[in-house]
Amino acid sequence: MSQDFLVLKNITKAFGKAVVIDNLDLTIKRGTMVTLLGPSGCGKTTVLRLVAGLETPTSGQIFIDGEDVTKSSIQNRDICIVFQSYALFPHMSIGDNVGYGLRMQGISSEECKQRVKEALELVDLVGFEDRFVDQISGGQQQRVALARALVLKPKVLLFDEPLSNLDANLRRSMREKIRELQQSLGITSLYVTHDQAEAFAVSDEVIVMHKGKIMQKAPAKELYLRPNSLFLANFMGESSIFEGILSQNQVTINNYQFHLPSADQFGLPDGECLVGIRPEAIRLKHQGEASQRCQIKSAVYMGNHWEIVANWGGKALLVNCNPEDFDPKAESAFVHLSEHGVFLLRKG
């Protein structure tokens, strides 16, 4: 049995002369959750619509579990979609909403009732069968939409920005529930979002897209710590980019030299390079060499940390400091870098 469950080969999608997806290849392993992440207009939703059968590729092929479904309708792909807008029927009870797809398949009322009950148990909505949409919260409505998809036991489950209508606390609990269910049920899933935290929380792998192309596909930790381009470095969280020199695992920035034991993993030859520094990789201390001195330009208290902008060697340096590690009255400090959160890119 092949582990390559959802496969897109040489997919191009154009609307008139506008090419939205450009010769894209994508493979998702059986039972895994992969997230498409990227800025608005990058093509991630178009990819999801192509997988669903809501759009037809201009060229290329789509396979699900070894079957070519490129020209198949959504009804013949054994796919379910959880939408951003929930798309629930307000005139139906919660139980009827969840069981709607089963009834369309001709499932008996007895089996339908049992499977609806099981699906509602999965999303912690036991006893909600007789309520209506306007009697439950937004978070509960999204769980109903999830139950309606799960009850059909699809081969592939698609998520189209499902949490964007929820507040921060509900988003956190729902992404935990989605990840828990996906892992326990082993459903191959494709998730679309523009929210980095959401992508990191639910995914086995994250695919970052830009202008219709895949920029990098990797687990969340690798994307963050080892971005493969300047675009990825700036898109995946905040970072300060400096010109530097690499020499046998020693990196020099602004005449400040520090040891980077992990330098080999970036695959760069010795010489000029770009050095990316995440805000959490920096410690501001009271002592250091002249090359480490920076000037504090602004400091904003964020509750669990200070968000600082400093001037180091004529460039802006973003720093996150623990409250007890920073004196807000300080006008200058000395930059000390830790290995975790420093990455290297090829110059140019």
Side-chain angles (χ1 to χ4, degrees):
M1 181 184 295
S2 173
Q3 291 304 304
D4 294 344
F5 194 78
L6 174 60
V7 179
L8 282 68
K9 288 187 176 180
N10 307 121
I11 292 292
T12 294
K13 178 62 180 177
F15 295 96
K17 294 183 179 180
V19 178
V20 179
I21 305 297
D22 188 7
N23 197 33
L24 179 142
D25 289 306
L26 170 61
T27 298
I28 297 179
K29 300 293 184 183
R30 185 185 303 272
T32 61
M33 168 89 85
V34 171
T35 294
L36 297 176
L37 176 67
S40 297
C42 70
K44 57 187 184 295
T45 298
T46 300
V47 171
L48 182 136
R49 290 176 62 83
L50 288 166
V51 172
L54 298 172
E55 300 283 357
T56 303
T58 304
S59 61
Q61 294 175 287
I62 300 172
F63 298 86
I64 296 177
D65 200 12
E67 179 185 356
D68 188 340
V69 298
T70 310
K71 297 182 180 179
S72 299
S73 67
I74 187 171
Q75 291 84 0
N76 295 323
R77 294 195 184 195
D78 199 1
I79 277 175
C80 284
I81 308 175
V82 180
F83 292 102
Q84 172 183 341
S85 61
Y86 317 143
L88 302 177
F89 300 115
H91 63 285
M92 290 185 184
S93 68
I94 300 307
D96 286 342
N97 264 284
V98 174
Y100 179 79
L102 296 175
R103 294 195 300 276
M104 293 299 101
Q105 293 180 353
I107 303 298
S108 69
S109 58
E110 185 175 340
E111 182 181 348
C112 181
K113 184 176 180 180
Q114 180 60 32
R115 286 174 63 174
V116 166
K117 180 182 177 183
E118 292 170 355
L120 289 175
E121 286 176 351
L122 287 173
V123 298
D124 302 322
L125 288 177
V126 175
F128 281 65
E129 290 88 339
D130 296 328
R131 297 192 193 185
F132 285 80
V133 174
D134 62 359
Q135 297 174 321
I136 61 176
S137 68
Q140 290 169 334
Q141 289 179 36
Q142 189 56 281
R143 281 188 277 159
V144 172
L146 181 57
R148 184 179 56 187
L150 294 174
V151 77
L152 295 173
K153 301 178 181 178
K155 284 184 176 180
V156 178
L157 189 55
L158 306 178
F159 295 88
D160 185 14
E161 307 240 18
L163 308 184
S164 58
N165 286 339
L166 303 178
D167 64 35
N169 289 335
L170 281 175
R171 282 202 302 272
R172 183 185 300 275
S173 63
M174 273 303 301
R175 73 193 189 199
E176 291 172 357
K177 173 57 69 174
I178 286 171
R179 182 57 169 157
E180 173 194 330
L181 289 173
Q182 186 276 324
Q183 288 186 309
S184 63
L185 300 174
I187 300 177
T188 306
S189 303
L190 182 62
Y191 195 105
V192 166
T193 183
H194 63 274
D195 187 299
Q196 178 184 313
E198 197 174 309
F200 280 17
V202 302
S203 310
D204 293 296
E205 287 190 305
V206 178
I207 295 172
V208 181
M209 293 188 64
H210 183 51
K211 295 182 178 179
K213 292 180 177 291
I214 292 176
M215 304 301 291
Q216 190 171 353
K217 177 186 178 185
K221 184 177 180 180
E222 182 177 339
L223 279 178
Y224 188 77
L225 296 179
R226 295 194 295 277
N228 65 6
S229 67
L230 198 56
F231 168 78
L232 262 294
N234 289 322
F235 182 76
M236 302 301 294
E238 294 182 315
S239 59
S240 304
I241 307 296
F242 288 81
E243 293 186 355
I245 298 174
L246 173 65
S247 177
Q248 298 182 344
N249 290 352
Q250 294 291 124
V251 177
T252 303
I253 310 171
N254 295 334
N255 295 319
Y256 165 52
Q257 188 176 80
F258 71 101
H259 185 58
L260 187 62
S262 59
D264 290 346
Q265 67 180 303
F266 299 102
L268 300 184
D270 284 356
E272 292 185 346
C273 63
L274 296 179
V275 183
I277 307 172
R278 299 294 187 187
E280 66 275 12
I282 305 159
R283 296 292 179 269
L284 296 181
K285 298 186 178 182
H286 300 299
Q287 295 180 332
E289 302 294 329
S291 60
Q292 297 170 262
R293 183 184 289 276
C294 67
Q295 303 299 316
I296 307 299
K297 294 300 181 183
S298 67
V300 179
Y301 181 67
M302 303 298 290
N304 60 349
H305 69 276
W306 282 94
E307 191 172 272
I308 299 161
V309 178
N311 184 315
W312 187 35
K315 292 197 66 175
L317 180 70
L318 306 178
V319 187
N320 288 345
C321 277
N322 290 328
E324 64 271 18
D325 293 339
F326 177 69
D327 177 5
K329 297 179 181 178
E331 295 181 355
S332 66
F334 293 88
V335 174
H336 292 258
L337 300 180
S338 63
E339 176 186 0
H340 186 86
V342 175
F343 57 87
L344 304 181
L345 295 170
R346 192 177 303 275
K347 189 176 180 181

